[in-house]
Amino acid sequence: MTDRLSQACDYDVIPAQPDLVILHAYGWESSYDTLLRKLRQGTTADILVQRDHLLKDSELMEETDPARLAGTNPATWEYKNYVWLPRIAEANDCAVADVRGYWKRYCRVRWRFVHDLLADNTHPNEEGNRVMAEAVLAYLLTTTPTVPV
C-alpha cells in the first residue's frame, strides 16, 4: 500500500539515490501523491508507475476511455487506472506503463484466463510476474509494447 511505502521511502529508497524507480502499488490518491512527491523531492530518479494488473476476467472488457469514465465511481479499478493514476503521474512528472493493457493483450493472444496468471485473488504467479516484467520491459524499450506471439 502506498501509505506504507511512503513511510519506508525515507529509509529504503531516498538514501540509495536510484536513477529509476518503477512503482506498482495499491493505495488511494492522497497517499499515492504523497509517495510520488516524496520521491520527486528526495531523488532525481525517473519514475515509472504501473497500471494495475488484472484480477478478474470481466476486466478484459472494461471501459478504458477516461472521458467515458468521468462521473463514474472513483473506487473502481477502471477509474483508478485510466483516470486518476495518469493524472497523478502527470502532475508528478512520471511515466505510466500500461501493464493492465499488456495483460489484456497477453490473455487474448495466448487464450489465457486472468486466474491463470494469479497465485491467489490478488498476487501474480510465476507466469503473471513474467508477463508483468515483459510489460514493463516493453514499455522501457519501445513506445508501443506488443505481446510476443
Side-chain angles (χ1 to χ4, degrees):
M1 299 290 285
T2 52
D3 55 338
R4 293 182 186 153
L5 288 173
S6 185
Q7 294 170 3
C9 183
D10 293 327
Y11 305 101
D12 297 331
V13 180
I14 293 173
Q17 288 299 300
D19 295 321
L20 173 66
V21 173
I22 300 174
L23 180 63
H24 175 231
Y26 294 112
W28 296 108
E29 195 164 349
S30 61
S31 60
Y32 214 103
D33 190 49
T34 299
L35 174 59
L36 291 178
R37 277 197 248 162
K38 190 175 281 195
L39 287 167
R40 272 284 158 248
Q41 292 169 357
T43 74
T44 58
D46 290 325
I47 303 171
L48 176 64
V49 296
Q50 296 178 213
R51 286 194 170 121
D52 299 315
H53 62 278
L54 303 176
L55 299 175
K56 301 180 292 186
D57 289 327
S58 61
E59 293 170 337
L60 289 165
M61 303 305 292
E62 70 190 358
E63 180 61 60
T64 61
D65 182 355
R68 291 185 180 173
L69 290 167
T72 62
N73 183 348
T76 63
W77 290 110
E78 296 93 339
Y79 188 90
K80 178 187 177 199
N81 282 281
Y82 298 104
V83 178
W84 79 253
L85 185 63
R87 185 180 66 227
I88 292 269
E90 183 178 359
N92 289 282
D93 195 28
C94 302
V96 178
D98 188 16
V99 168
R100 197 168 183 88
Y102 193 94
W103 269 51
K104 290 176 186 181
R105 290 186 299 277
Y106 181 90
C107 286
R108 288 184 188 119
V109 168
R110 299 287 173 93
W111 293 86
R112 305 294 279 158
F113 293 104
V114 172
H115 69 264
D116 293 331
L117 305 180
L118 298 174
D120 53 33
N121 290 332
T122 305
H123 303 95
N125 60 20
E126 185 177 341
E127 182 180 6
N129 280 322
R130 184 178 47 75
V131 173
M132 190 177 305
E134 288 173 2
V136 172
L137 186 60
Y139 176 84
L140 292 172
L141 296 177
T142 69
T143 56
T144 52
T146 59
V147 175
V149 183

